[in-house]
Amino acid sequence: MDANRLTAECAFCGSIHIRTQSNEDVIKPESLVPFKIDKQTAINKFRTWLKKRYLSPGNLKILAREEKIHGVYIPFWTFDADTNSFYTAEKGIYYYDTERVYVKDGKGGGRYEQRRVRKTRWYPTSGVYRHYFNDVWYVLQIRKEGT
């Protein structure tokens, strides 16, 4: 896109009703991640995707304009957080017990068998959990009106 031009239409929905911003409102990017595929590869993938849309509206292929395919940068931020949390909970510790159970054999009889059964003993616990979260991504959620 030309550096001096904001946009002619919305890159997400195609609307020409774009709110203009003053330069004071804009958060300038620190860096950009380059595109992984070139335009021709994107067009080819789009064509393949369109061919698989058997139940799509009939005019979808007509409305799909390949010349309008272009890359869009989606803004995202990373956050760091140094957390310090206090917690109380119950801690379950597994143990095994042997139980004697009566098993029917289908002929009107049966026998006793021993089985190992897993059980849980619960204990109160509490403590402090400290963790440093580094570069957690936050992607701006862009929604159309009415959704």
Side-chain angles (χ1 to χ4, degrees), residues 85-89 125-129:
S85 304
F86 300 94
Y87 67 88
T88 58
T125 186
S126 62
V128 178
Y129 181 75

Side-chain angles (χ1 to χ4, degrees), residues 52-115:
K52 295 178 183 177
R53 304 295 128 212
Y54 301 113
L55 300 175
S56 63
N59 62 349
L60 178 63
K61 292 180 183 178
I62 296 167
L63 293 173
R65 299 172 292 172
E66 291 178 357
E67 71 275 2
K68 293 286 187 177
I69 292 178
H70 60 278
V72 176
Y73 286 104
I74 300 174
F76 74 91
W77 290 263
T78 63
F79 294 92
D80 299 338
D82 195 4
T83 64
N84 190 15
S85 304
F86 300 94
Y87 67 88
T88 58
E90 286 189 341
K91 172 174 62 173
I93 297 179
Y94 296 132
Y95 69 96
Y96 291 88
D97 199 4
T98 303
E99 293 183 351
R100 196 167 177 227
V101 293
Y102 186 76
V103 179
K104 293 183 181 180
D105 63 7
K107 298 177 186 175
R111 66 183 185 291
Y112 283 97
E113 289 183 357
Q114 288 188 344
R115 292 191 183 161

Side-chain angles (χ1 to χ4, degrees), residues 78-80 132-137:
T78 63
F79 294 92
D80 299 338
Y132 180 71
F133 294 91
N134 186 27
D135 291 337
V136 176
W137 285 27

Side-chain angles (χ1 to χ4, degrees), residues 37-51:
I37 62 173
D38 61 15
K39 183 173 183 172
Q40 191 56 50
T41 303
I43 289 172
N44 292 339
K45 286 180 178 282
F46 180 63
R47 286 178 185 156
T48 302
W49 178 82
L50 270 178
K51 287 178 186 174

